[in-house]
């Protein structure tokens, strides 16, 4: 699993930056990429600031890491498969 969450970036900006980033050819061989387990996250809302939302960010990571388990629903517009 790869989480893409640049400090201070919202979800849309993270996805946009990822799409224009030139990645090495080896990137395509990573298991996370092959298994479509690369996720863009809204770092600005859930990881870059102290406070209660950081707890929601940890819950978001848990839900994405353990998709096979029944966990609380994810906040809308908090993540996207890339």
């Amino acid at each position: 699993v790869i989480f893409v969450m640049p400090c201070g970036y919202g979800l849309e900006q993270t996805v946009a930056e990822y799409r224009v980033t030139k990645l090495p050819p080896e990137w395509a061989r990573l298991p996370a990429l092959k298994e479509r387990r690369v996720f863009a996250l809204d770092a600005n809302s859930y990881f870059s600031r102290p406070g209660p939302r950081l707890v929601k960010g940890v819950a978001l990571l848990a839900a994405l890491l353990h998709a096979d388990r029944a966990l609380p629903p994810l906040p809308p517009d908090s993540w996207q498969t890339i």
Side-chain angles (χ1 to χ4, degrees):
V1 176
I2 297 173
F3 295 116
V4 181
M5 51 180 173
C7 184
Y9 283 40
L11 182 60
E12 287 182 27
Q13 190 178 9
T14 297
V15 171
E17 289 295 323
Y18 178 82
R19 289 189 174 143
V20 299
T21 300
K22 184 166 172 79
L23 299 167
E26 296 81 14
W27 182 261
R29 293 195 303 261
L30 294 174
L33 193 72
K34 291 178 182 179
E35 296 167 12
R36 298 200 35 83
R37 301 230 23 199
V38 180
F39 303 104
L41 301 170
D42 182 350
N44 190 46
S45 293
Y46 298 99
F47 302 99
S48 298
R49 301 171 189 208
R53 281 198 136 189
L54 186 57
V55 174
K56 289 183 180 185
V58 173
L60 173 61
L61 294 177
L64 292 171
L65 286 169
H66 303 286
D68 58 329
R69 298 193 182 169
L71 296 169
L74 300 175
D77 299 322
S78 60
W79 70 283
Q80 178 180 327
T81 301
I82 51 175

